[in-house]
Amino acid sequence: MVEIEIDGKKVEVPPGSMVMDAANKLGTYIPHFCYHKKLSIAANCRMCLVEVEKAPKPLPACATPVSAGMIVRSNSEKAVQAQKSVMEFLLINHPLDCPICDQGGECQLQDLAVGYGKSGSRYEEEKRTVVPKDAGPLISMQEMARCIHCTRCVRFGQEVAGVMELGMLGRGEHAEITTFVGKTVDSEVSGNMIDLCPVGALTSKPFRYSARTWELSRRKSVSPHDSLGTNLIVQVKGGKVMRVLPLENDAINECWISDKDRFSYEALDNQERLTMPLIKQGGQWQETDWQTALEYIAHGLRNIKHEHGADAIAAVATGHQTSEELYLLQKMMRGIGSENIEFRQRQTDFALDGQVTPWLGMKIAELTHVKRAFIIGSFLRKDHPLVATRLRAAVKSGAKLSILHASDDELLIPAANKMIAAPSDWLAALSEIVVAVAAAKGVSAPAGFENVQASEAAGKIAASLNTGDAGIPAVILMGNAAAQHPQASALHAAAQWIAEQTGAKFGYMVEAANSVGGYLVGATAKNATPVFSTPKKAYVLLGAEPELDAANPQQARAALDAAEMVVAMSPFKHGFDYADVLLPVSPFSETSGTFVNCEGFAQSFNGTVKPLGETRPAWKVLRVLGNLLSLPNFDYETSEAVRDEVFGKGVTDLSSKLNNMSKTALTAASHGDGGALERVTNVPIYFADAIARRSEPLLRTADGQAPLAWLPAALADKLGVKAGDSVKVSQGAGSAVLVAGIDAGLPPNAVRVAAAHPSTATLGAMFGAITVEKAGEGI
């Protein structure tokens, strides 16, 4: 450690630290613009000039390394005069538009100008102007004349997002931050640039000119989207969510949030919201009151139970519902005698039930420090944007990343090893790695693997992971696609064996905000089968939109159409074709509850605004339904009472209740002949849940466009299809006409067609055989 003195206070910091690091450790504030603790040092704003004893002139605190016995003065006359001079230069060209600037009230330049700026300017020439840029539907670059060239946005793109979408052109007064010619900013974490901008050059396009920062109430919340449990600040005005910002938590999301977390709030108060209970009578939808709607449901469920038995009733939820809601839903179902409760709509292999309660297998923060990572079946950037940023940081620090997937996507992370294979060949690929690991360890391959030959790629992955037991932290993670795979349990067994042999940690990134909570509260069926594989007479849907969320939309829709009664509980209007009752229940912003994230950490939150119209929190609706069905112990007064019954009072770390280790026997597999076409299915980032898929700004982004049918080049040539042509994709009893794209990163026998979008909701299972033909030609 190196000891230095700042403003008369002594502090010890590691060698190589900068003066700014030492000042932060002491709690001494040094004014700055370009410095940010999560970004590299640029030292181009010069606002942090300090006086260092024996140095001939002030030095930038952010870029001056500490040395033993160094004496620094941050507020001496020499330092303050240097800082004031820098401020005068910064304000020379800055427009005087604070009264109309969105950044007003939370602007670093504004705040520091009060302390270091002059009351008048000596500069009398015309101020420079900068042409506005179009950065897409999320970020506004209309006032780039405000830019002070701190380059935080540029460095964020390069270092955290992994893609340089903004850069600086020109020199001197002609310097400006801009996008690449004709390009917009499309990163899934781009909105963080808005937070990083210390002035009003980059602002939120959806929020622009809608409120002043001092008018907004700030409330803490938790993201209802991916499994990270990102901490949020929800800003409210007049009972409406106006903006969502990150709440810093280094253990989970650091100081970042994904664009889905940031902009999905636009769906919370739009035309799609359901605000009154609706009942279908004679084929017509009628508004009704809560009492009538709930009594109608209770009466209908009792009748179906009486006529067909309790097993004819099923409840289907999503992993985006709170633990309290999922707990009461399963308690109600089991109270009436039915075991048919399921939130895992996209899962098809349930052989691990009773053995495995999937979770990350480690702390989220540890991902930044792993040295070897093997990701199996994950569209990583889109499924888990902030996990990708942590792994990107790990790779920048020397980690080696290996991938097994069906599509060679651009991860924006240098991957050391890749195995790209059609989904039906994933088990064969893992079998090769099992054999390669056994060879590297000098042990015999497991029984049944005698005829498996390891490929060169499998050998490299095995060699990479094999350093894990030498004290180098390694991790094997199963992605969403691996968990949804028809052979999920066999993939799990192989990956688990590899982890055990190499000393790597083993876990799942899990799909949704409360997937782990869904397991813990028992919202899963005993002897589970795919949700809609056995049609039932009655369905209770909690937040579920099966035509978009189910593993097989055709099967789901057929089951719903044939049911005698379908109750849809949702914040949004949907299911008019098959539902009999629509109940408006609160989204995360209008209810209290608990999400358990992928590391098993329970985070409770309160509603940030009052429920819209006649909307009610789902836990209250289920409590009343339980009472109407005369079920015992349904007398909860608060959601906290439900939470305490499930998890215990004050308990937040639930990782001890989770387990990734199964006793499933290893199964060897060999590669198929590659003849039949099979489907590769991603869930687009902005269609993964009900809230995101209704946010207009997100739907205007590149990721929010209608999905294409991605074909490998050889198949496209065979069909005579060029990018932009229409193709007819058929699966099961349904087909869809989609625009074709050419993807060189696909295996030759795979076609990539997204799920969760209305244009593909007529197709069948997410995995399996698929046929493609040029539209209108019938091949």
Side-chain angles (χ1 to χ4, degrees):
M1 299 293 278
V2 177
E3 183 179 84
I4 72 167
E5 181 184 302
I6 301 180
D7 296 339
K9 299 176 185 173
K10 294 194 174 176
V11 63
E12 286 189 347
V13 290
S17 298
M18 301 296 158
V19 170
M20 186 71 88
D21 300 324
N24 287 342
K25 190 171 181 180
L26 272 177
T28 299
Y29 179 73
I30 296 175
H32 60 272
F33 292 112
C34 69
Y35 168 80
H36 190 278
K37 63 184 177 181
K38 296 289 184 183
L39 302 177
S40 62
I41 294 165
N44 54 5
C45 78
R46 318 308 280 182
M47 192 65 212
C48 63
L49 292 174
V50 293
E51 182 183 356
V52 178
E53 198 169 86
K54 298 181 183 175
K57 58 185 180 180
L59 299 174
C62 70
T64 302
V66 298
S67 58
M70 178 185 273
I71 297 174
V72 178
R73 299 181 186 93
S74 69
N75 56 8
S76 65
E77 186 180 345
K78 187 175 182 180
V80 171
Q81 187 53 51
Q83 291 159 0
K84 286 186 173 181
S85 298
V86 169
M87 178 58 72
E88 186 174 18
F89 276 116
L90 285 174
L91 292 176
I92 276 177
N93 273 310
H94 201 77
L96 299 173
D97 60 355
C98 294
I100 62 136
C101 178
D102 256 3
Q103 197 86 348
E106 52 187 9
C107 174
Q108 263 181 277
L109 185 67
Q110 204 174 50
D111 294 344
L112 292 179
V114 173
Y116 298 92
K118 296 185 176 181
S119 57
S121 173
R122 293 184 284 170
Y123 186 77
E124 295 180 353
E125 289 77 11
E126 282 188 15
K127 290 181 181 284
R128 78 180 197 138
T129 57
V130 180
V131 176
K133 316 290 189 302
D134 179 16
L138 305 180
I139 299 175
S140 172
M141 297 180 74
Q142 290 300 299
E143 286 90 12
M144 290 305 291
R146 298 171 184 162
C147 178
I148 60 169
H149 303 156
C150 69
T151 67
R152 279 184 179 184
C153 55
V154 178
R155 284 176 286 146
F156 171 83
Q158 288 176 300
E159 297 162 20
V160 181
V163 55
M164 185 175 173
E165 294 183 292
L166 296 178
M168 183 178 280
L169 290 177
R171 302 189 66 179
E173 69 172 326
H174 302 295
E176 57 181 274
I177 301 288
T178 184
T179 56
F180 286 87
V181 177
K183 299 285 187 182
T184 54
V185 176
D186 296 323
S187 165
E188 60 281 352
V189 290
S190 66
N192 293 293
M193 295 178 184
I194 299 166
D195 298 335
L196 287 171
C197 185
V199 295
L202 302 181
T203 54
S204 166
K205 199 170 267 189
F207 175 71
R208 188 172 156 83
Y209 296 149
S210 60
R212 285 305 206 168
T213 181
W214 54 84
E215 300 174 311
L216 301 172
S217 303
R218 290 161 175 76
R219 285 142 198 189
K220 295 179 182 178
S221 192
V222 179
S223 165
H225 302 297
D226 65 36
S227 60
L228 212 70
T230 300
N231 289 198
L232 307 176
I233 296 172
V234 178
Q235 298 191 327
V236 175
K237 176 186 175 185
K240 182 179 176 183
V241 175
M242 303 299 290
R243 186 164 62 163
V244 173
L245 298 175
L247 175 62
E248 187 170 346
N249 185 340
D250 264 351
I252 295 176
N253 57 294
E254 302 176 275
C255 53
W256 317 124
I257 57 175
S258 69
D259 288 355
K260 180 158 64 169
D261 296 330
R262 184 184 300 273
F263 296 108
S264 64
Y265 74 87
E266 285 281 311
L268 298 175
D269 192 21
N270 68 12
Q271 297 298 312
E272 293 284 304
R273 279 298 299 270
L274 180 66
T275 56
M276 288 286 291
L278 301 176
I279 291 181
K280 189 188 283 181
Q281 293 180 326
Q284 298 295 313
W285 286 98
Q286 307 287 336
E287 289 188 353
T288 188
D289 59 86
W290 273 100
Q291 188 71 22
T292 304
L294 292 175
E295 286 178 354
Y296 178 87
I297 294 166
H299 179 71
L301 292 177
R302 274 195 296 265
N303 275 359
I304 287 169
K305 179 182 176 181
H306 177 70
E307 291 176 18
H308 305 285
D311 190 56
I313 304 171
V316 181
T318 76
H320 303 283
Q321 305 304 130
T322 66
S323 298
E324 291 82 351
E325 293 164 359
L326 292 174
Y327 175 70
L328 291 181
L329 183 65
Q330 67 84 27
K331 188 175 181 179
M332 181 184 82
M333 292 303 293
R334 292 190 164 108
I336 60 179
S338 173
E339 280 292 335
N340 303 315
I341 162 74
E342 192 58 80
F343 75 93
R344 302 167 295 178
Q345 291 183 73
R346 293 197 174 102
Q347 191 164 323
T348 52
D349 180 359
F350 299 92
L352 296 172
D353 280 12
Q355 300 180 62
V356 169
T357 314
W359 70 298
L360 192 64
M362 61 196 295
K363 295 291 185 187
I364 293 166
E366 292 175 32
L367 289 170
T368 312
H369 307 294
V370 300
K371 294 301 178 188
R372 300 287 185 270
F374 181 30
I375 309 295
I376 302 168
S378 176
F379 297 90
L380 184 62
R381 275 177 56 204
K382 307 303 180 183
D383 290 346
H384 303 97
L386 297 185
V387 171
T389 64
R390 285 194 180 270
L391 289 173
R392 192 172 291 120
V395 170
K396 287 173 80 78
S397 301
K400 295 284 188 283
L401 177 66
S402 301
I403 301 290
L404 168 59
H405 197 31
S407 175
D408 191 5
D409 288 356
E410 178 50 80
L411 296 177
L412 304 176
I413 309 173
N417 308 293
K418 290 181 183 177
M419 291 183 79
I420 305 301
S424 62
D425 287 332
W426 287 0
L427 186 56
L430 284 179
S431 299
E432 291 181 10
I433 298 170
V434 165
V435 170
V437 167
K441 301 287 289 183
V443 299
S444 55
F449 284 74
E450 295 82 5
N451 297 323
V452 176
Q453 295 293 318
S455 63
E456 183 184 354
K460 287 180 178 177
I461 292 175
S464 173
L465 290 172
N466 210 29
T467 52
D469 56 2
I472 295 175
V475 63
I476 298 175
L477 294 176
M478 305 286 276
N480 294 356
Q484 295 156 0
H485 196 283
Q487 296 174 298
S489 54
L491 297 176
H492 175 107
Q496 180 183 321
W497 188 91
I498 295 166
E500 289 169 343
Q501 295 298 315
T502 58
K505 292 188 175 182
F506 175 56
Y508 283 77
M509 286 182 276
V510 303
E511 184 177 359
N514 201 34
S515 291
V516 175
Y519 278 96
L520 290 174
V521 304
T524 55
K526 290 188 175 74
N527 305 315
T529 55
V531 183
F532 294 98
S533 58
T534 307
K536 304 295 181 184
K537 294 295 182 183
Y539 286 98
V540 178
L541 308 178
L542 177 56
E545 300 176 3
E547 65 273 34
L548 302 177
D549 295 335
N552 188 329
Q554 280 178 14
Q555 196 179 68
R557 188 58 195 269
L560 292 167
D561 287 341
E564 290 180 16
M565 185 168 89
V566 176
V567 178
M569 301 167 63
S570 172
F572 302 103
K573 299 171 184 173
H574 78 93
F576 287 110
D577 293 343
Y578 54 77
D580 298 286
V581 188
L582 293 177
L583 299 181
V585 296
S586 300
F588 80 106
S589 56
E590 298 169 17
T591 187
S592 55
T594 305
F595 290 141
V596 185
N597 70 2
C598 58
E599 70 170 38
F601 186 64
Q603 300 183 100
S604 295
F605 57 92
N606 290 315
T608 53
V609 292
K610 289 180 180 177
L612 189 67
E614 288 297 307
T615 301
R616 296 290 180 267
W619 72 266
K620 288 187 177 181
V621 176
L622 290 165
R623 180 198 64 191
V624 176
L625 260 178
N627 291 332
L628 290 173
L629 291 165
S630 305
L631 302 178
N633 302 320
F634 262 84
D635 51 356
Y636 306 98
E637 291 293 322
T638 63
S639 65
E640 289 79 10
V642 184
R643 178 196 65 199
D644 294 346
E645 181 176 311
V646 189
F647 299 135
K649 197 162 189 174
V651 177
T652 54
D653 185 359
L654 301 167
S655 57
S656 61
K657 298 181 178 181
L658 305 171
N659 169 51
N660 287 323
M661 297 304 163
S662 82
K663 297 183 175 67
T664 305
L666 274 178
T667 308
S670 55
H671 288 274
D673 59 12
L677 276 184
E678 58 183 280
R679 182 176 176 182
V680 173
T681 309
N682 63 305
V683 177
I685 181 171
Y686 302 140
F687 294 98
D689 62 82
I691 298 175
R693 62 175 70 117
R694 289 173 173 86
S695 170
E696 290 180 15
L698 292 180
L699 296 184
R700 290 197 296 269
T701 64
D703 281 319
Q705 302 309 300
L708 305 182
W710 292 99
L711 313 179
L715 176 63
D717 289 343
K718 180 182 173 185
L719 297 176
V721 171
K722 299 184 181 65
D725 289 351
S726 292
V727 292
K728 182 181 178 184
V729 180
S730 303
Q731 204 183 11
S735 62
V737 176
L738 303 172
V739 176
I742 312 297
D743 185 353
L746 282 172
N749 61 326
V751 176
R752 178 168 162 176
V753 180
H757 191 274
S759 66
T760 60
T762 52
L763 298 175
M766 294 174 69
F767 296 85
I770 192 168
T771 60
V772 182
E773 57 193 11
K774 196 168 184 178
E777 292 192 6
I779 294 174

